[in-house]
């Protein structure tokens, strides 16, 4: 594994730290996806095998399509009052601890472990195990499981496979490397339930979600000679269809998939803030564009939160994309 900066910890250093601690809070990012949750659940399951105490913290709760994940019913937005002083907070799949949300109590850097694969991770932890070439944070966790020597059972395997399938878009994105496929095959042999992951995360849609998709598609706009496609969703569209924010998660990929489109943006003006999802076919770095507006992500998939009006957000994102070569 090529380490992207000299300050990246080794798997051995991280495992030594894990063995020293007695309790863990696995922290996932706001509006969680299968990677941030699956990575934390997989490592949490392994730590429990070692007799450790594990809490799964998530500010926004588990989305409907991820409730099938092993231990998902244990995820909580409330931390117990009796956590020991040596508790390690393990942040999975976020380039900065602030992505955990504004309700996590203050944590000393000394008690933060950063496990991630994003570009531009702020290396905020005491230890930072950030492997940018990995397809998911779950596959970063796999390095730790091997070093820990904990056997990968069906539950852990399902969690890790869910992280891979989430972040590769069901093995479709360019991060679907031979290594990712080989690991996935190995996880299936160990009992990972690929059928359930496919059905729960990718296939089954609420009728309300499909109706919302229709409205978002109706509102599509094209710019820059047809290479840029964007659309929006707002509270009124949710109310009209009976859908909610969870039903918007993968819609941006439909926009990106339109013929001739290099870059797509979906503006989600919901509950007083605008969350923007960006996707690229690889010609343009949307992580760099998102970072110009305080967001982040990956070369082909990035996001940001814009505070202001929808038309301002659309203009600001357009300018950021143009600055990155659109
Ligand atoms: P999404 O469009 O929400 O699926 O996010 C795509 C990618 O961008 C993921 O890797 C996210 O972690 C990242 N991302 C989304 N929103 C933000 C944000 N506000 N700040 C930093 N990274 C973000
Ligand atoms: Mn994520
Ligand atoms: Mn990820």
């Amino acid at each position: 594994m090529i380490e992207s900066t000299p300050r990246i910890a080794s798997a051995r250093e991280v495992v030594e730290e894990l063995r020293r601690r007695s309790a863990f809070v696995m922290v996932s990012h706001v509006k969680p996806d299968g990677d941030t949750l699956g990575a934390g659940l997989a490592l949490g399951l392994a730590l429990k095998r070692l007799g450790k105490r594990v809490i799964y913290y998530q500010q926004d709760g588990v989305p409907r399509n991820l409730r099938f994940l092993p231990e998902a019913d244990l995820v909580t937005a409330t931390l117990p009052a009796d956590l020991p002083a040596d508790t390690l907070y393990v942040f999975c799949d976020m380039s900065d601890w602030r992505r955990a949300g504004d309700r996590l109590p203050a944590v000393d850097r000394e008690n933060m472990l950063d496990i991630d694969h994003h570009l531009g991770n702020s290396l905020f932890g005491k230890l930072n195990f950030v492997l940018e070439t990995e397809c998911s944070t779950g596959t970063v966790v796999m390095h730790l499981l091997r070093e820990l020597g904990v056997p990968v059972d069906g539950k852990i395997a399902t969690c890790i496979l869910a992280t891979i399938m989430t972040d590769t878009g069901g093995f479709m994105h360019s991060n679907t490397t031979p290594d990712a496929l080989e690991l996935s095959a190995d996880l299936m042999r160990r009992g990972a339930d690929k059928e359930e992951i496919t059905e729960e995360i990718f296939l089954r849609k609420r009728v309300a979600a499909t109706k919302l998709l229709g409205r978002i598609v109706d509102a599509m706009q094209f710019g820059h000679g047809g290479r840029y496609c964007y659309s929006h969703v707002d509270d009124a569209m949710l109310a009209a269809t009976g859908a909610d924010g969870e039903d918007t998660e993968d819609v941006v990929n439909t926009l990106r998939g339109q013929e001739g489109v290099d870059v797509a943006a979906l503006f989600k003006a919901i509950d007083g803030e605008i969350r923007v999802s960006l996707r690229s076919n690889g010609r343009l770095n949307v992580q760099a564009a998102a970072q110009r507006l305080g967001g982040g992500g990956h070369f082909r998939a990035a996001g940001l939160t814009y505070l202001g009006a929808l038309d301002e957000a659309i203009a600001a994102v357009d300018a950021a994309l143009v600055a990155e070569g659109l």
Side-chain angles (χ1 to χ4, degrees):
M1 179 51 51
I2 299 162
E3 295 184 350
S4 56
T5 91
R7 292 170 57 219
I8 303 300
S10 68
R12 179 186 294 197
E13 282 174 286
V14 175
V15 162
E16 280 169 5
E17 187 72 33
L18 296 176
R19 290 194 187 283
R20 273 198 291 272
R21 307 276 184 148
S22 70
F24 298 84
V25 177
M26 315 306 297
V27 184
S28 46
H29 64 67
V30 288
K31 312 276 177 199
D33 53 39
D35 191 24
T36 190
L37 284 171
L41 293 167
L43 185 55
L45 280 159
L47 290 166
K48 285 185 180 181
R49 302 263 138 79
L50 299 175
K52 312 282 189 181
R53 183 171 174 200
V54 176
I55 308 292
Y56 304 109
Y57 176 83
Q58 163 52 234
Q59 175 168 312
D60 295 334
V62 179
R64 288 180 293 276
N65 66 351
L66 295 172
R67 292 194 188 143
F68 74 97
L69 286 171
E71 307 256 279
D73 52 326
L74 300 180
V75 173
T76 176
T78 319
L79 292 179
D82 65 344
L83 285 171
D86 79 340
T87 301
L88 186 66
Y89 290 73
V90 183
F91 294 76
C92 289
D93 194 44
M94 56 193 107
S95 44
D96 193 77
W97 61 269
R98 291 173 186 84
R99 290 265 297 144
D102 52 13
R103 294 203 283 279
L104 184 71
V107 182
D108 279 352
R109 186 188 182 113
E110 271 302 293
N111 294 323
M112 286 186 180
L113 168 61
D114 166 18
I115 304 179
D116 188 30
H117 69 135
H118 284 92
L119 301 176
N121 185 289
S122 66
L123 305 180
F124 55 88
K126 175 191 184 189
L127 291 175
N128 301 284
F129 193 53
V130 181
L131 306 177
E132 292 178 358
T133 57
E134 290 291 340
C135 69
S136 71
T137 298
T139 68
V140 179
V141 164
M142 270 309 298
H143 292 269
L144 301 178
L145 299 185
R146 289 187 197 105
E147 188 74 28
L148 269 173
V150 172
V152 174
D153 63 10
K155 286 184 178 178
I156 294 177
T158 293
C159 291
I160 301 284
L161 186 59
T163 73
I164 297 172
M165 290 179 66
T166 296
D167 275 22
T168 62
F171 305 119
M172 284 199 285
H173 302 330
S174 61
N175 56 354
T176 312
T177 57
D179 280 354
L181 290 170
E182 276 164 5
L183 174 57
S184 299
D186 186 46
L187 293 167
M188 281 183 75
R189 287 190 193 98
R190 291 171 190 273
D193 195 340
K194 187 211 163 264
E195 284 309 292
E196 187 172 40
I197 297 168
T198 307
E199 178 67 22
E200 296 288 327
I201 299 185
F202 294 98
L203 293 183
R204 202 183 56 236
K205 302 286 176 209
R206 304 199 302 167
V207 174
T210 306
K211 289 186 173 168
L212 180 69
L213 173 64
R215 298 213 174 202
I216 296 171
V217 168
D218 265 347
M220 279 191 310
Q221 310 259 7
F222 292 87
H224 300 277
R227 285 178 295 110
Y228 176 44
C229 175
Y230 67 95
S231 189
H232 73 281
V233 47
D234 58 22
D235 295 306
M237 290 158 83
L238 296 182
T241 55
D244 64 20
E246 283 179 29
D247 296 314
T248 67
E249 285 309 316
D250 65 351
V251 173
V252 66
N253 296 313
T254 298
L255 307 183
R256 219 295 291 148
Q258 300 307 301
E259 197 170 21
V261 169
D262 290 337
V263 184
L266 179 63
F267 296 82
K268 306 172 195 176
I270 300 171
D271 290 340
E273 60 176 20
I274 303 177
R275 299 203 323 125
V276 187
S277 285
L278 298 172
R279 296 293 184 273
S280 156
N281 65 356
R283 294 220 180 123
L284 193 143
N285 181 358
V286 287
Q287 184 267 342
Q291 202 166 40
R292 288 175 179 272
L293 298 170
H298 307 277
F299 197 98
R300 293 174 183 234
L304 60 108
T305 302
Y306 191 90
L307 298 176
L310 180 59
D311 54 349
E312 288 165 23
I314 290 172
V317 168
D318 193 285
L321 290 169
V322 167
E324 291 304 325
L326 180 64

